[in-house]
Amino acid sequence: MPYAIGIDLGTSNSVVSVIKDGTAFVIPDEDGNRTHPSVVSFGHGQNAIVGNKALKQMAFNPQGTVYSSKRLIGRTISSEEVVKARHTVPYDIVAGEHDDPRIRVHDRVYSLQEIGAHILRYLKGLAENWLGEPVNHAVITVPAYFNDNQRQATRDAGQIAGLEVLRIVNEPTAAALAYGLGQAKNEFVAVYDLGGGTFDISILHIMKDVFEVVSTAGDTYLGGDDFDHVLMEFMLAQLPDEQQRQVRRSPSARLKLKRASEQAKIDLSTSEQTEIHIDALVRDERGFEQPFKSRLSRIQYNQIVFPLVKRTFEVCDEALTAARRVPGDVGALVLVGGMTRSPIIQEAVENYFGRVPELGVNPDEVVSVGAAIQADTLMSSMSGATVNTGTLLIDVTPQSLGVGTVGGFVERLIERNSAIPSGTQRVFTTSVDAQSEVKIEVYQGESRMAGDNEKLGEFVLQGLRPAPRGDVKITVYFDIDASGIVSVTAEEGETGTAASIRLEASTGLTAEEVQDLQSDLDFDNVGF
Ligand code: AMP
C-alpha cells in the first residue's frame, strides 16, 4: 500500500507525519527540524525557498518572503482579515480577478493556493526523501471554523502541489484522533490550542466515529508572539530611556530582543531561572556597543504573562457557553501548540477544566500525527486492507445550509455537522398574490438572519401558475455529494416547472487554473 501523509498546515509552522509499520513518525528536514515555518521566499529567479531557510530570508528579503498566508487563503480582498494584513505585512497584497487576495512578488502575482502549494510541495518532498519513495496522498488539516471556500482553497493548494487530498480534517479532530479518543466512546473533548500567533478552543462531541465540533472560539491575535512581546517590554524597561528609544527605533535590535525573550520563555518551561544575554544591543553615549544582561525567574515570568493566560480562559468560557456545557462535562482534554509546553499554561488549563490533559504526543506535532493516522486509515480502507482498525471519520458539513425567506430570515435545510452525502427537501409557498416567480437564495452559516450568513448563490424559478398567495407550493431539494458540492433544485408541484443551481465553493481559481498551476509548480521545483 502506498504511504499517505498527514499535514498540519499551520499559520506559523507546518508539520508532516506518516504512519510506517504501525508507528507515527514526524518527518524532519535535513537539519533535523521537525516543524517547518510556513514561509515561502521568492528570489529573483522563479524558484521558491520554503521552511527554515525561507524564515532566514525574512530579514533580507521582506517583500519577497511570504508568511502567515493561511490568514488570507479562501478569503475575499475586502474581508477584515485581509484588510488588516495589508496594513501589517511587508509583502504586497493585490486584488485578484475574482475578488480574491493575491500576492505580488517581483512582478509576478501568486494566488494564495500557489503559496500554500509551495509549502505542501516542500513537505511532500521531505516525506519522499525520508521514505525513499514518491508520496501522492495526503490528509490536510484546517481550523474547525474554516468555511467552504477556505477548505476548498486548501484542497486546491494540495492538488497544485501534486497531492491527492484524501480528506480535509478539522485540526481539533485530528488532535483527538492522535490520542485515540472516541473509539467506541461517547464523550466531550476540549482541545486547547495555543500556537505562535493564534488561540483556539474547540469543544468536540465524539459519538462512535462521528466527531462533532460543537463549538469553537478563538482569538486570531493571541499566541506565543504576544508572550514574547510582553517579556520584551519587561526587559526594555530595565534600560535607561535613551537606550530604550534606540531599541525601539532599530528593527535589528528589536529582533534581537524578541529572539532573546522567546528563548527565555522556552528555557523557563524546563528551568526555574534563566539568564538573558545579548552581546551588542545598544550603544553608549560614546558610540560603543553595549551588551544586555538580565535574569528572569519562572515566578516573575508567570506574573508578567498572567493577563494573557487569563484571556485564553475568557475565550474558553465563551466556547463552553456556546456548547451549553461546563468545564466538568469535559471527559478528555487535549493540548495543542508549542505554547502549551509552558508549565503555567498546563497548570492553568488543568485548574480550569479540573482534569489532567492527555499526554505523550508533542503538542506542536499532535495535529499532524492525527492527520497521518486518518490518512493511513483512509488509505487502508481504499486498498481493502483489513489490518487497520482506526477510526474512519465521517465527513460532515462544517456549517448549516438554508434558503432566504421573507423578512430577511434563513430557513435551515441542512444542519451543520450533518453526515455527507446528504439530501433533504422542504415545501415553501408563495408570499404574494399572483406571484409569477420566486428567487431562491442559498445561505451558509449559523445565523437566523440572512445578512449574517454567507450567500453561496441564487437562482430564479419562473413561470409560476397565477394564484392567491400561499396556494402555489414550491419544493426545494438540497443535495450535498461526497465532495461537499451542493446542488439546489426548486420545483413547482402542479406544473412541474423546475430550476436548479450547483454550488461549488468560490475560491478564486477555476478547476482549469488549478490544473495549469500544477504544471507551473512542477516547473518551478525542478530538481526538488
Ligand atoms: P506552534 O505555532 O504550535 O509551532 O507554536 C509556536 C509557539 O510555541 C512559539 O511562540 C514558541 O515560542 C512557543 N514554544 C515552542 N516551544 C516552547 C516551549 N518549550 N515552551 C514555551 N513555549 C514554546
Side-chain angles (χ1 to χ4, degrees), residues 313-328:
F313 294 108
E314 287 159 13
V315 182
C316 291
D317 287 345
E318 216 181 283
L320 282 169
T321 307
R324 296 202 184 86
R325 296 286 137 198
V326 293

Side-chain angles (χ1 to χ4, degrees), residues 8 13-17 26 34-35 193-195 335-341 361-369:
D8 169 11
N13 292 301
S14 293
V15 183
V16 53
S17 303
V26 175
R34 291 154 70 94
T35 57
D193 178 351
L194 188 60
L335 300 181
V336 179
M339 272 305 299
T340 64
R341 289 173 186 260
V361 188
N362 286 336
D364 27 20
E365 298 171 355
V366 65
V367 168
S368 143
V369 167

Side-chain angles (χ1 to χ4, degrees), residues 12-13 195-196 224-225 228 262 265-266 269 337-339 341-342 364:
S12 351
N13 292 301
D225 291 343
D228 304 342
E262 181 175 11
K265 170 188 80 177
I266 292 173
S269 288
M339 272 305 299
R341 289 173 186 260
S342 206
D364 27 20

